[in-house]
Amino acid sequence: MSSAARLSVVIVTRERPHAPEYHAYSSVLVGRAIAAATQAGWQVDVVAAQDDGREASLRRTDDAGALVILGGEDIAPEFYGAARGYRGEGAHAERADEAQIALVQRAIHRGTPLLGICRGHQIIDVALGGTLIQDLGEGSAHRHDDVPMERVMSTHDVHVAPGSRLLNGLGAVAETRSAHHQAVDRLGDGLVVAARASDGLIEAIEHETAPILGVQWHPEDPGAPTGQLSALLGTLASPVSLAA
């Protein structure tokens, strides 16, 4: 299999000694994403942006045929022109922010297929000059607070935009699993809304011309609808065609 059929799965970090419960659940999601991509025919390489830094992350993904940026910590607000001290603020990973933003910008320039999930969805927006809603407030339908980590995911529908190029395979309404307390606010350059939740929050974005898609939810969660992750991975170029 050629290097063109290689998929770089970009995570924040390989370890979180300060947050073992969160890291354990995050590792489950990463593992499921890797398994689905491997089953689809990709040769998967995992890059930890916080650990590797900007230059090493760019170098390690240079010949990847496509990228997936997974979830993780809140993006540091200085990257989108906001202030710290908001409700629900946790640890940040600024080296990962810088590296992943650079990966998105290069993907846009090269036309490399890229899927962003949760934090990765927000990274796409911020990389292109967009902003975020910093906290959705108490009682949000988009996550369960003050529960064990394995119960934090919330189930809710999203409404796919009729003109979406990359989400049309999910149907007009899709059930999703999410655990976010932030959301895309102002869209970055070249981005359009691909799906919204019933409360109006932006749940998916795609680029007008580049093969770039971001979803706020977690298709890799164990409770996600069967086949949803595979369908979203299918928006990336086929590993078979890239290897040809």
Side-chain angles (χ1 to χ4, degrees):
M1 185 176 291
S2 76
S3 61
R6 187 166 63 85
L7 175 69
S8 289
V9 173
V10 186
I11 63 174
V12 172
T13 182
R14 296 180 182 89
E15 57 183 5
R16 293 179 177 89
H18 62 285
E21 184 182 10
Y22 172 70
H23 187 71
Y25 195 77
S26 175
S27 296
V28 170
L29 303 184
V30 173
R32 288 176 60 83
I34 292 171
T38 301
Q39 186 175 17
W42 293 99
Q43 177 183 317
V44 178
D45 177 46
V46 179
V47 176
Q50 177 75 3
D51 308 340
D52 296 342
R54 180 182 184 277
E55 296 309 316
S57 295
L58 286 168
R59 184 173 63 253
R60 289 190 57 190
T61 58
D62 187 54
D63 61 352
L67 297 96
V68 175
I69 301 179
L70 294 178
E73 285 75 2
D74 290 358
I75 301 167
E78 50 265 34
F79 286 99
Y80 54 93
R84 299 198 179 203
Y86 56 88
R87 177 192 175 276
E89 183 176 12
H92 296 292
E94 292 88 345
R95 276 166 54 89
D97 299 338
E98 182 183 29
Q100 292 178 345
I101 286 169
L103 291 174
V104 171
Q105 292 171 342
R106 186 180 66 183
I108 293 287
H109 176 72
R110 292 182 174 181
T112 304
L114 186 150
L115 171 64
I117 293 174
C118 195
R119 168 191 160 93
H121 157 84
Q122 296 173 5
I123 281 282
I124 293 169
D125 187 53
V126 170
L128 298 178
T131 62
L132 303 179
I133 299 170
Q134 289 188 296
D135 184 65
L136 300 180
E138 295 182 7
S140 166
H142 295 267
R143 65 174 288 145
H144 296 141
D145 291 320
D146 303 319
V147 297
M149 186 58 61
E150 65 271 14
R151 293 173 53 199
V152 73
M153 290 282 178
S154 172
T155 300
H156 65 88
D157 290 343
V158 300
H159 301 267
V160 177
S164 172
R165 294 184 302 112
L166 300 177
L167 280 184
N168 52 18
L170 295 186
V173 180
E175 180 182 292
T176 67
R177 297 276 284 169
S178 70
H180 60 101
H181 80 110
Q182 298 188 310
V184 166
D185 188 7
R186 188 184 72 235
L187 289 172
D189 294 341
L191 296 174
V192 295
V193 175
R196 290 184 184 270
S198 297
D199 59 10
L201 283 179
I202 296 173
E203 286 283 329
I205 55 177
E206 60 188 30
H207 196 270
E208 292 176 320
T209 57
I212 308 290
L213 171 67
V215 297
Q216 184 63 79
W217 66 87
H218 284 278
E220 80 283 26
D221 183 71
T226 302
Q228 189 177 86
L229 176 58
S230 296
L232 291 172
L233 288 172
T235 66
L236 304 170
S238 165
V240 176
S241 64
L242 285 172

